[in-house]
Amino acid sequence: MSSDLIALIIVLAFETPEIEHKTQQLDSRCGQKLSEAMSAVLRLTVTKCRASGIVVIFIACLMAVGLSVYFLAGRAYPTANSCSVSPKRPLPAFGAAPKIAQSVIRLPRTLLPRHYDVRLLPILEKGNFTVLGRVVIDLQCVEETDRIVLHSSDIKVDLKSVQVIEQGDMAKKMLSLESIDYETITEFLIIRLNTKHKVKLAKRTNYTLSMDFVGNLTDTSAGFFRSVYVEDGVERYMAVSQMEPTDARRVFPCFDEPNMKAIFTVTIGRHRDMTALSNMPLIDTTPIDGMQDFYWDHFAPTLLMSTYLVAFVVANFTKIEADVGNANWKFNIHVRTSAVSQAQYAKVIGPKTQAFYEDYFQMPFPLPKQDMIAIPSAFVGAMENWGLLTYGESVLLYDADVSSLDDRQTVVELVTHELAHQWFGNLVTMDWWSDLWLKEGFTSYIECLAAEHVDPSLERLEQFVTSSLHTVMRLDALESSHPISVLVNHPDEIGELFDDISYKKGAAITRMLANFIGAKSFRNGLTNYLRIHQYGNAVQDDLWNAFDKQAELDHVFLPTNVKTIMDTWTLKMGFPVVTVQRDYNSQNVTITQKRFLVRKSNSTTADPTVYLWWTPLTYTTDFRTIGSTWLAENQTSKNLTLEIEIRNDEWVIFNVNETGYYRVNYDARNWQLIAKQLMTNHTAISVINRAQIMNDALNLARAGLLNYEIPLNLTKYLEREDEFLPWEATLTALSYLDSMMQRTPGYGLLKNYVLKILSPLYESLGFINRSSDSHLTGKLRRKVVDSCCSMGHKDCITKATDSYHQWMSDPQNTTIVPAMLKRVVVCTAIRHGGEMEWDFAFKRFRDSNVASEKATLLSSLSCTQESWIIARMLEMCLSPTTGFRTQDALDVIKTLAGNPIGRFLTFNFMREKWLEMTKIFSSIHNLAHVFESVTKAFNTDMELKELSDFVGRNKELLVSAMTRSTQQSIDRVRSNLSWMKQNYRHVVNWLQKANTDATFQRST
């Protein structure tokens, strides 16, 4: 053992902070020494009171038996802080950090990484979750420089180990260094060469940068983190990575920007009882010298890719090999042993989806294997790491006995989405995060095409308008929305882009594009784009150019080029409302467009943007013949002679099947004609357009562009409606009225009316599922039963509570409560019950082995009407050891905020505990969702004042990182206030008349 290593051990034993860390400098030629140093450090037991004795005993053991000592019970490992030195320059305090120019946030392009050799040894020991690591980066100098600037955050680099070596033809030359500094704000690690000796990196010369470092497996679901779960009654740990968007720098020093692609060779250390996974296949396993039962797993080099896609997992899981037919790749699912049976659905649809994309994109999957792994506990959602897809258990696993059809749809959506990224995002990557939508928006639409292929019974494409388009329109109708493509720099700004605008609006305008250029041109244009830019980066103009060329080749008529059209949708926020005014004595109509806003404030006039769009218009009078035209970006209005013959007593409907991203308003007579058609034969209008009509009309009224009498009269036809989409669109829009009126005298009128129109469908569908039900029929029943029970339908409440109490008497019987109705049943029983009902659901939540069932039960717990239980739940959110796990707590807070009794308790709790919440819940993105949920139903002057005061008092903790989301919340409350003043009385008057209408009686 070297003298430097012994010095390191002495330093660690005494924990002397002022002495620099003396790590043995270990390069790629000294793999054995790396193992020796790591194993020696890992075996070290460190306490101050026994420091001297430990060192003597340790050295004596080395002299006697070399490196044969194995781990002892109660061993301690070095922590990240004990294996570090302070930067040479003091780090600035976070709050006092100066503003930095946007150009400084980005890495300089003087050096480009070509290859990384990453070696990590994560310690999965309770009490210490250290990661020991080493990185060797091959660099190409493209411009002379005297420094190397790369990213590093939350890891401690051993400064003595940092080496820069010039790669010459004959010999390697080590360069002398002047200083190594760290910039907190930019997260830059800056390595300066010795300028006194005129040392510089030369253009067109290759160099190697290497260093050792220590990090921690955190519990924050960012970087390289730990997940704890219980298997067969035993608490177990696993290590898993999540790099997107800017967390690779928390795992190893790197050039952490998407357009600085490189090849990665990964080596992971693990115990013999664990399995290591990475992006590429395992090629070799070697023992870690001096560490019995520990091994290095060596993985094949990756293809050229971005840092945010690098992935690794260390776990004790079971591998399930899927049947891939004649494919040139393998496909595996990795799960907890007790969850193997729940992975069978993913095992089928995974390879089927990947094969579909190979055919659709006309490009083979370029890797030799694909792994999908279900992460328990700490992981939410999914991540598209190339060749190693990571999922939360609730979105990958499916148990037909206890999971619902909605859960199955979720699995399909997430699997098809992440696999689409293997081409759209991984093979071709956005140049910078400003174009995040370029991968997320497109895959959010393409996933629907794949879902139609792998499980057509889900009718996923048909649901797009209600699940995506209508959802994002609610956000995009705010003044504080943002364009799809927006300039971002700081990691917090980047994190805010992962919202419905990037995903769902991106998907909506992609669907619109696919419709106006045609499915064939859309598909071939995508293929050309992928072939041209494979293994590289692209901006949105590259995609528009590919579509332009394909449209020209296919002779598709467009009024201008694709870039000009689509720039109006990606560079401007919001969307238009298209108003159609007919001349009933001719075929002529006047069409106008303007930005749709739920509330327009005085600040709108200060916005210099001209909110006009290239808008593709389609229209029909019978859904057999469809006309089309365009509104140009410079046109506020247009006179049009319809191509289709239309009588003055016939309706016309614009935006056929709602393929365009805009709302449509009509003159009063055309609205009346549409209403008459719906009342006499609603099936003459397509299902999607019935959903569009209801959603548009109710939201136009909400914005003050339509008298509420028109959309409320339209709802009367619903007693004859038996399709899911129109009901979903209507009930979602009516939920706004519900949230506004819950605390008003008029709420009883709203409940009575909604029950009137729901009751015929409730009686025809019944409470219990039928084997003949389609997927959408099952979703419709769940929606109707949920609404009826929540509105006080006596039969619904009785059936739900009876089912729940039967389940309480026979907890192991999974057939008593249908999976599709489980949330409705549990929520209703808890709402109308007490502590006993709540405790039963909580115990089932804690004991369940099925993540989707746990999620259902978790959301149902918040239905309680007992204020003391709500207060207890809120306290449990900050006590993960005795209450809710950290990753569940945010969901609990959000659902409690939707409880009329819990709304103010939750807001008061958030105000009192905000500082503590920011420390426990590190994700700014998730906290923004909590903030939105807690405040979205506020509609009084006092609530607006309390919200504004809270934001004002917490500017540093809140606004600096959540500027957009807090402003959106304030905008929503102001919009709610405006609605109450302008519309509440009109709605109440209409409801009073409707509830006394003798021709419209309730049957409950």
Side-chain angles (χ1 to χ4, degrees):
M1 176 171 287
S2 69
S3 59
D4 280 347
L5 182 57
I6 294 175
L8 161 65
I9 296 166
I10 295 172
V11 169
L12 290 178
F14 283 94
E15 297 179 309
T16 310
E18 63 267 27
I19 300 177
E20 289 191 335
H21 174 44
K22 293 287 187 178
T23 301
Q24 174 72 23
Q25 296 186 352
L26 307 160
D27 60 23
S28 58
R29 297 167 296 171
C30 303
Q32 183 176 353
K33 288 186 178 181
L34 173 61
S35 300
E36 178 184 73
M38 285 185 172
S39 60
V41 171
L42 293 176
R43 286 197 306 276
L44 181 62
T45 302
V46 180
T47 62
K48 286 185 177 181
C49 64
R50 295 187 296 166
S52 299
I54 291 171
V55 173
V56 172
I57 293 171
F58 184 72
I59 295 175
C61 289
L62 288 177
M63 295 172 63
V65 295
L67 297 175
S68 62
V69 179
Y70 182 52
F71 289 98
L72 300 176
R75 60 191 177 274
Y77 302 116
T79 65
N81 287 333
S82 69
C83 290
S84 65
V85 292
S86 299
K88 293 178 184 249
R89 187 171 62 222
L91 299 180
F94 181 79
K99 294 286 185 180
I100 297 180
Q102 292 179 343
S103 59
V104 180
I105 299 290
R106 299 288 298 274
L107 290 173
R109 290 307 188 268
T110 53
L111 294 163
L112 294 177
R114 295 308 183 197
H115 178 268
Y116 291 80
D117 194 327
V118 181
R119 180 171 290 216
L120 300 172
L121 178 56
I123 308 305
L124 289 165
E125 283 283 318
K126 190 169 186 177
N128 190 307
F129 297 97
T130 302
V131 181
L132 301 180
R134 175 172 176 78
V135 64
V136 179
I137 312 174
D138 294 334
L139 303 170
Q140 179 185 20
C141 183
V142 295
E143 184 179 332
E144 184 182 74
T145 181
D146 63 355
R147 67 196 61 190
I148 300 173
V149 183
L150 68 165
H151 288 112
S152 180
S153 179
D154 295 339
I155 54 179
K156 305 296 182 179
V157 173
D158 171 24
L159 304 189
K160 292 294 184 180
S161 73
V162 179
Q163 291 184 349
V164 180
I165 298 175
E166 181 179 332
Q167 302 293 337
D169 293 335
M170 303 298 295
K172 297 181 179 180
K173 176 184 176 183
M174 185 179 298
L175 305 183
S176 61
L177 309 181
E178 179 179 292
S179 64
I180 302 174
D181 296 327
Y182 181 71
E183 292 286 356
T184 304
I185 306 302
T186 58
E187 299 179 336
F188 285 174
L189 183 68
I190 305 172
I191 303 167
R192 291 182 172 85
L193 301 178
N194 196 328
T195 54
K196 293 180 181 178
H197 295 86
K198 299 182 179 180
V199 178
K200 287 190 176 183
L201 304 182
K203 187 176 181 178
R204 291 190 293 274
T205 304
N206 296 326
Y207 298 88
T208 298
L209 168 67
S210 61
M211 66 190 78
D212 303 325
F213 55 90
V214 179
N216 280 321
L217 291 171
T218 68
D219 59 359
T220 60
S221 298
F224 203 13
F225 63 94
R226 65 184 184 270
S227 175
V228 58
Y229 61 98
V230 176
E231 184 86 359
D232 298 328
V234 178
E235 187 176 79
R236 300 179 184 273
Y237 292 96
M238 65 180 295
V240 61
S241 66
Q242 168 62 36
M243 308 297 199
E244 190 183 33
T246 58
D247 290 322
R249 66 192 67 176
R250 303 182 193 282
V251 185
F252 57 95
C254 59
F255 296 78
D256 198 12
E257 295 187 3
N259 62 5
M260 302 188 84
K261 289 190 170 185
I263 295 169
F264 297 82
T265 300
V266 173
T267 302
I268 301 292
R270 60 162 178 88
H271 189 268
R272 67 175 183 181
D273 294 334
M274 309 291 273
T275 299
L277 300 171
S278 191
N279 304 83
M280 297 297 284
L282 178 69
I283 57 174
D284 192 21
T285 296
T286 58
I288 299 180
D289 291 343
M291 293 180 64
Q292 185 178 344
D293 294 334
F294 275 77
Y295 296 87
W296 291 118
D297 280 344
H298 307 270
F299 296 91
T302 68
L303 302 178
L304 203 63
M305 68 182 198
S306 304
T307 49
Y308 78 88
L309 295 171
V310 177
F312 13 80
V313 173
V314 178
N316 185 4
F317 273 23
T318 296
K319 181 174 78 171
I320 305 167
E321 297 182 6
D323 181 4
V324 299
N326 297 322
N328 294 322
W329 31 261
K330 296 180 179 179
F331 205 108
N332 307 305
I333 317 290
H334 302 264
V335 296
R336 293 180 292 113
T337 302
S338 61
V340 168
S341 63
Q342 302 173 41
Q344 300 311 304
Y345 185 56
K347 174 185 172 183
V348 173
I349 66 168
K352 190 174 181 181
T353 299
Q354 188 153 292
F356 167 82
Y357 285 134
E358 283 192 316
D359 177 67
Y360 186 84
F361 293 127
Q362 301 170 61
M363 296 186 71
F365 178 65
L367 305 186
K369 65 92 178 175
Q370 184 71 274
D371 288 314
M372 299 200 305
I373 185 167
I375 312 297
S377 183
F379 202 82
V380 179
M383 179 61 202
E384 69 264 21
N385 315 300
W386 216 359
L388 176 54
L389 308 179
T390 47
Y391 298 84
E393 282 193 338
S394 63
V395 298
L396 184 64
L397 304 184
Y398 174 77
D399 186 326
D401 291 333
V402 296
S403 302
S404 69
L405 288 176
D406 279 344
D407 296 326
R408 192 175 85 180
Q409 179 172 319
T410 297
V411 174
V412 171
E413 288 172 351
L414 270 293
V415 169
T416 53
H417 184 93
E418 304 311 326
L419 284 171
H421 276 311
Q422 306 302 289
W423 286 264
F424 222 91
N426 298 4
L427 184 65
V428 180
T429 310
M430 73 272 157
D431 189 71
W432 179 243
W433 296 106
S434 297
D435 282 331
L436 171 69
W437 85 273
L438 199 57
K439 73 182 184 76
E440 297 300 349
F442 265 80
T443 51
S444 294
Y445 172 65
I446 297 295
E447 73 178 60
C448 299
L449 306 182
E452 287 292 304
H453 173 77
V454 300
D455 196 340
S457 69
L458 297 177
E459 300 176 83
R460 178 66 186 88
L461 198 55
E462 187 173 347
Q463 297 176 58
F464 182 90
V465 293
T466 54
S467 65
S468 296
L469 193 148
H470 292 171
T471 300
V472 73
M473 278 182 161
R474 292 196 293 273
L475 173 60
D476 209 19
L478 298 175
E479 285 182 308
S480 52
S481 183
H482 66 85
I484 289 180
S485 182
V486 60
L487 178 65
V488 290
N489 290 283
H490 192 274
D492 287 345
E493 295 176 324
I494 295 168
E496 281 199 278
L497 289 185
F498 287 80
D499 65 358
D500 281 350
I501 297 295
S502 295
Y503 284 73
K504 294 182 178 181
K505 182 177 180 178
I509 67 167
T510 301
R511 175 173 172 263
M512 180 172 67
L513 167 66
N515 276 274
F516 72 67
I517 69 169
K520 178 184 175 182
S521 296
F522 177 78
R523 178 180 177 181
N524 290 336
L526 281 181
T527 298
N528 293 336
Y529 165 81
L530 292 172
R531 285 177 176 165
I532 292 170
H533 300 285
Q534 60 183 318
Y535 305 110
N537 298 84
V539 297
Q540 64 179 26
D541 285 1
D542 296 320
L543 186 58
W544 305 150
N545 290 337
F547 284 130
D548 266 324
K549 291 177 181 178
Q550 192 62 48
E552 183 179 356
L553 188 65
D554 295 339
H555 305 292
V556 176
F557 168 76
L558 295 174
T560 185
N561 59 58
V562 172
K563 171 180 165 53
T564 301
I565 294 170
M566 296 306 293
D567 276 356
T568 64
W569 298 97
T570 61
L571 302 182
K572 300 177 185 180
M573 59 182 167
F575 59 90
V577 52
V578 172
T579 301
V580 180
Q581 178 70 48
R582 290 176 58 184
D583 177 356
Y584 289 87
N585 296 318
S586 68
Q587 300 289 108
N588 298 330
V589 297
T590 300
I591 304 168
T592 61
Q593 65 164 321
K594 68 176 181 178
R595 184 183 178 188
F596 178 82
L597 290 169
V598 292
R599 174 183 172 272
K600 186 175 182 179
S601 70
N602 293 332
S603 62
T604 308
T605 57
D607 186 348
T609 306
V610 178
Y611 286 103
L612 297 172
W613 292 263
W614 273 101
T615 307
L617 302 176
T618 55
Y619 57 90
T620 187
T621 60
D622 56 12
F623 286 91
R624 293 187 296 273
T625 305
I626 298 174
S628 64
T629 188
W630 287 82
L631 270 173
E633 185 184 11
N634 60 357
Q635 287 182 309
T636 56
S637 65
K638 175 180 180 176
N639 294 320
L640 173 69
T641 300
L642 298 180
E643 302 169 355
I644 304 171
E645 287 289 330
I646 180 173
R647 301 194 309 269
N648 60 12
D649 61 347
E650 287 183 322
W651 46 263
V652 64
I653 289 175
F654 273 69
N655 202 5
V656 179
N657 289 325
E658 206 168 5
T659 57
Y661 186 66
Y662 54 90
R663 295 198 184 280
V664 183
N665 199 356
Y666 302 98
D667 58 76
R669 184 172 175 181
N670 198 68
W671 278 118
Q672 292 170 358
L673 292 170
I674 291 172
K676 181 180 178 181
Q677 181 66 70
L678 289 173
M679 292 296 290
T680 55
N681 178 19
H682 61 279
T683 60
I685 299 173
S686 75
V687 172
I688 290 177
N689 274 107
R690 298 202 299 270
Q692 174 227 8
I693 287 166
M694 299 309 301
N695 188 266
D696 277 356
L698 284 163
N699 280 282
L700 287 166
R702 176 180 171 182
L705 299 177
L706 192 63
N707 189 306
Y708 252 110
E709 185 176 356
I710 291 176
L712 290 174
N713 282 334
L714 288 173
T715 63
K716 293 181 179 180
Y717 105 89
L718 289 166
E719 64 176 333
R720 301 172 178 83
E721 181 63 78
D722 60 0
E723 291 284 352
F724 171 71
L725 293 182
W727 272 108
E728 171 75 358
T730 303
L731 291 174
T732 299
L734 286 176
S735 68
Y736 179 74
L737 273 67
D738 185 272
S739 66
M740 292 298 96
M741 298 177 67
Q742 273 180 353
R743 297 167 292 159
T744 69
Y747 186 56
L749 294 170
L750 179 65
K751 289 204 320 182
N752 290 339
Y753 178 71
V754 172
L755 285 174
K756 279 185 178 182
I757 60 176
L758 276 172
S759 291
L761 187 58
Y762 174 83
E763 292 173 1
S764 65
L765 286 173
F767 190 88
I768 304 299
N769 295 338
R770 300 166 187 162
S771 59
S772 59
D773 286 345
S774 69
H775 178 60
L776 290 187
T777 298
K779 288 175 73 74
L780 177 61
R781 177 182 291 104
R782 194 271 327 279
K783 190 78 176 179
V784 170
V785 170
D786 188 14
S787 298
C788 284
C789 282
S790 65
M791 290 287 183
H793 194 290
K794 292 181 180 179
D795 182 72
C796 183
I797 293 170
T798 299
K799 283 186 167 63
T801 54
D802 285 351
S803 295
Y804 188 76
H805 290 130
Q806 289 177 39
W807 188 31
M808 289 177 68
S809 300
D810 188 6
Q812 303 309 313
N813 189 338
T814 59
T815 63
I816 295 174
V817 179
M820 197 68 174
L821 294 178
K822 183 168 287 184
R823 191 197 180 279
V824 180
V825 167
V826 177
C827 178
T828 302
I830 289 177
R831 182 188 295 122
H832 294 275
E835 185 178 12
M836 181 177 65
E837 286 78 9
W838 193 94
D839 285 346
F840 174 78
F842 184 65
K843 185 178 187 305
R844 293 293 302 179
F845 162 73
R846 297 290 289 263
D847 295 344
S848 177
N849 186 47
V850 181
S852 58
E853 183 185 37
K854 290 174 78 74
T856 297
L857 293 167
L858 182 70
S859 64
S860 303
L861 291 170
S862 299
C863 296
T864 180
Q865 301 297 287
E866 299 282 354
S867 58
W868 70 270
I869 293 180
I870 293 172
R872 185 178 69 179
M873 290 178 67
L874 289 168
E875 290 296 333
M876 291 168 65
C877 290
L878 303 184
S879 304
T881 55
T882 59
F884 297 108
R885 301 173 305 175
T886 301
Q887 63 271 22
D888 294 328
L890 289 174
D891 288 333
V892 172
I893 295 172
K894 286 189 288 186
T895 51
L896 283 173
N899 182 331
I901 303 252
R903 179 183 303 146
F904 296 110
L905 289 171
T906 306
F907 182 55
N908 289 336
F909 177 82
M910 186 181 77
R911 285 190 292 182
E912 293 173 6
K913 305 287 187 179
W914 186 253
L915 177 59
E916 189 174 352
M917 289 174 65
T918 59
K919 294 176 181 177
I920 294 175
F921 311 116
S922 58
S923 169
I924 297 298
H925 179 63
N926 289 334
L927 281 174
H929 282 302
V930 170
F931 196 85
E932 173 193 341
S933 299
V934 171
T935 60
K936 69 179 180 180
F938 285 7
N939 62 0
T940 68
D941 290 316
M942 180 59 70
E943 288 167 337
L944 176 60
K945 182 180 184 304
E946 290 180 338
L947 173 60
S948 299
D949 289 347
F950 172 66
V951 171
R953 288 194 306 269
N954 293 274
K955 283 186 176 179
E956 289 191 5
L957 291 173
L958 186 68
V959 180
S960 61
M962 295 167 54
T963 304
R964 185 175 290 117
S965 56
T966 53
Q967 188 56 51
Q968 287 171 351
S969 293
I970 291 173
D971 281 357
R972 284 190 185 93
V973 178
R974 286 174 176 157
S975 175
N976 295 345
L977 267 164
S978 177
W979 187 92
M980 291 296 293
K981 293 174 182 177
Q982 296 176 15
N983 298 303
Y984 170 73
R985 180 47 54 190
H986 295 299
V987 172
V988 168
N989 292 339
W990 187 93
L991 290 171
Q992 286 174 330
K993 183 177 184 300
N995 281 322
T996 57
D997 190 340
T999 65
F1000 209 69
Q1001 295 298 317
R1002 183 176 68 166
S1003 54
T1004 58

